[in-house]
Amino acid sequence: MNALMALTFILIPTCSLAKSPGPKAVRYGINSNYAMPLINVERVQNTPKLEGGVLRDLGLAIFKELHLSPTWILLPKSRVASNLTSGNVHLVCHLKEVWQPAIQEAVDWSHDLYRSSNLIVYIGGKPIAKAKDLYGKRVGGVLNFIYQSMDDYFKKGLILREDGPNNESNIQKLLNGRIDYIIMSNLEFDYYKKIYPSLESADLGMDEVITKCALSRKAPITLEELNRAIDTIKKNGTLEKILKSYN
C-alpha cells in the first residue's frame, strides 16, 4: 500500500507537467497577390519568404502586443476565405467585408486599421475625370480582386479589364504600352510614385474603405485580444509609423 501511494505521488506532478499548455501558435495569413508596399517577398532557395512590407510590420506590431510570435503563411486571394473558415489560417489583415462577401458573416472583424481607396494610374495623356473617359481602354487589375465601382463597366465590356499577378507587374505593362491604365490603391501609388515619377493618378472616389483584420473563429486568440492590440498600436503611433515608413 505504501509503495502504491508513493508511486501515485511521483506520477501526479509528472502528468501535470506533461499537460502544461505551450505558447499559442497563431497563423497569420498574407495575400500573396499584393506587392510593395504591402508585402516584400524574396525567394530563398526557390522558396518564397516574407522579408518586409506593411503587412509584415503590422503583424509584428500586433503580435508584440499579444506577446506572441506569428507563423507567416503566404496564400493567394482565392484561398484566403477557405483558409480562414477552416482555421488553417487564424488572422488576415488589410481586408474588408465587401472584399470577402462569401465569409463576411463567418469570421470576426476587428476594429478599423487605415484608409484604402483605388486610383486610376496612368502615364501621360489627358487627366481622367470620370469612368466614361476609360471606355474602350485596357485597364490593369489584379487577378481575383474585386473592384466594386468598376465591375459593371467590365461586365458590359465598356472598359477592358486585363489582370496581372500584382500591381508591380501591371506597372511594367503600363511602361511598355501593353495596357493604358491601372487600378491601384492609394498606398501602392504613393510608394511607386517615388520609384516611377512619371506615374500620374486620378481619384474618382472609387472603393474607399477603412481596412480591418479578419479573425477565424477557430483562432487561439479572441477578438477582444486582437482589438486591444490594434487599439494600442493606433494610440501609441506604431501603425502610423509603419505606414509612413513606406510612403
Side-chain angles (χ1 to χ4, degrees):
M1 184 68 175
N2 289 340
L4 180 59
M5 290 179 66
L7 179 60
T8 302
F9 286 126
I10 292 170
L11 288 176
I12 287 173
T14 304
C15 293
S16 176
L17 286 172
K19 293 181 180 179
S20 296
K24 297 175 183 176
V26 182
R27 296 186 288 274
Y28 181 82
I30 293 181
N31 186 340
S32 60
N33 291 117
Y34 288 129
M36 284 295 283
L38 292 172
I39 63 169
N40 178 25
V41 176
E42 302 288 345
R43 288 201 165 267
V44 179
Q45 295 181 342
N46 211 33
T47 300
K49 183 179 179 183
L50 184 67
E51 295 287 359
V54 169
L55 296 186
R56 176 182 177 274
D57 294 354
L58 173 63
L60 289 173
I62 288 173
F63 284 95
K64 180 180 179 181
E65 295 301 323
L66 293 170
H67 305 290
L68 297 170
S69 295
T71 297
W72 311 109
I73 298 181
L74 289 165
L75 68 165
K77 181 184 182 297
S78 60
R79 291 173 50 201
V80 168
S82 60
N83 275 267
L84 276 169
T85 53
S86 69
N88 193 46
V89 162
H90 296 138
L91 182 66
V92 178
C93 295
H94 191 79
L95 274 186
K96 188 68 176 179
E97 292 92 334
V98 70
W99 297 349
Q100 291 289 344
I103 62 165
Q104 61 180 334
E105 303 295 335
V107 299
D108 293 321
W109 295 91
S110 75
H111 287 174
D112 294 346
L113 288 171
Y114 46 79
R115 172 183 172 273
S116 176
S117 63
N118 283 329
L119 307 173
I120 298 296
V121 175
Y122 58 98
I123 297 175
K126 294 191 302 181
I128 304 303
K130 53 189 180 299
K132 193 172 182 179
D133 295 335
L134 300 171
Y135 281 11
K137 302 297 184 181
R138 300 162 298 169
V139 177
V142 176
L143 187 66
N144 294 317
F145 275 33
I146 295 173
Y147 302 104
Q148 200 170 29
S149 298
M150 302 292 289
D151 275 348
D152 195 46
Y153 300 108
F154 292 142
K155 288 175 183 177
K156 291 178 179 178
L158 298 172
I159 300 172
L160 309 177
R161 176 172 175 171
E162 294 196 17
D163 284 343
N166 54 52
N167 270 328
E168 193 165 7
S169 169
N170 284 336
I171 288 174
Q172 298 309 312
K173 290 181 182 179
L174 183 68
L175 293 171
N176 291 314
R178 293 169 57 194
I179 55 177
D180 303 302
Y181 299 92
I182 304 172
I183 303 177
M184 182 183 294
S185 75
N186 58 307
L187 296 175
E188 292 171 303
F189 177 75
D190 289 345
Y191 176 82
Y192 284 112
K193 175 69 174 175
K194 293 181 179 179
I195 302 172
Y196 304 101
S198 60
L199 293 180
E200 301 294 339
S201 71
D203 189 347
L204 306 185
M206 299 190 308
D207 308 320
E208 182 171 337
V209 301
I210 303 297
T211 61
K212 300 179 179 181
C213 297
L215 182 68
S216 171
R217 290 180 180 159
K218 297 181 180 180
I221 59 172
T222 66
L223 183 62
E224 181 182 9
E225 290 173 318
L226 173 61
N227 282 334
R228 190 162 52 241
I230 288 173
D231 291 345
T232 298
I233 66 171
K234 288 170 70 177
K235 288 177 182 175
N236 66 18
T238 299
L239 179 56
E240 183 180 7
K241 183 179 179 181
I242 289 170
L243 295 174
K244 285 185 175 179
S245 70
Y246 290 97
N247 293 320

